[in-house]
Amino acid sequence: MRPLDRWGPAMQAALAEARAALATHDVPIGAVVLDAGGEVVGAGRNVREAYADPTGHAEMVALRAAARARGEWRLDGHTLVVTLEPCTMCAGAAVLARLERIVFGAFDDKAGAVGSLWDVVRDRRLNHRPEVVSGVYAEEQTALLTEFFAAQRS
């Protein structure tokens, strides 16, 4: 099965979260966490501006929601689907949560930590390394970010 076929619906849900972040003037990044059966158990969008929270990244919000729903911090068998490549904080949280996989859209050449600038999740010194799938609806996320930052500059 092609990554777009398998992860497309979840990435569309993450993109909807990203678009919702625009209402609070946050950078439009969205994430969902899927359980082993593919059901969304956590969702999040960037809320750094909304909550004045430096840890208010979409991935962190979604991971917290999934852990609450599950009643446990270990998210074995779960998948994080996020519109932009996670940063070091979020990649580290994904490793610590024991996620089975990370699926993301666009690469982040300035802060990406899942293959671009760093590769935290594949570091052999860590005790857990999730599978990585990249490029799912990357064009849509890139366009959303480009539009957001163009509006910020004008």
Side-chain angles (χ1 to χ4, degrees):
M1 180 181 293
R2 295 179 320 148
L4 189 57
D5 295 337
R6 183 170 184 193
W7 305 112
M11 187 59 77
Q12 287 298 324
L15 281 162
E17 288 289 331
R19 289 183 196 97
L22 294 169
T24 56
H25 307 290
D26 277 287
V27 177
I29 299 170
V32 295
V33 176
L34 309 175
D35 66 13
E39 295 297 314
V40 174
V41 293
R45 64 185 70 106
N46 271 8
V47 293
R48 290 188 311 168
E49 299 299 329
Y51 299 152
D53 178 1
T55 69
H57 290 203
E59 301 96 322
M60 301 297 284
V61 174
L63 288 171
R64 286 180 190 126
R68 276 192 309 273
R70 193 170 155 160
E72 180 177 359
W73 61 267
R74 286 181 185 85
L75 298 175
D76 307 75
H78 288 62
T79 299
L80 172 66
V81 179
V82 59
T83 58
L84 185 67
E85 179 184 5
C87 70
T88 54
M89 173 180 66
C90 296
V95 169
L96 293 173
R98 312 292 198 271
L99 288 173
E100 183 172 330
R101 103 185 27 83
I102 299 169
V103 177
F104 68 90
F107 281 94
D108 183 353
D109 295 333
K110 293 182 181 178
V114 185
S116 287
L117 194 55
W118 296 285
D119 202 349
V120 171
V121 301
R122 293 185 190 107
D123 190 321
R124 294 215 174 274
R125 294 170 292 183
L126 299 176
N127 66 343
H128 180 75
R129 289 180 295 285
E131 173 190 354
V132 175
V133 178
S134 61
V136 179
Y137 284 108
E139 300 81 21
E140 286 82 345
Q141 176 59 18
T142 300
L144 187 59
L145 286 169
T146 299
E147 184 178 316
F148 173 79
F149 287 115
Q152 297 296 309
R153 292 194 251 331
S154 58

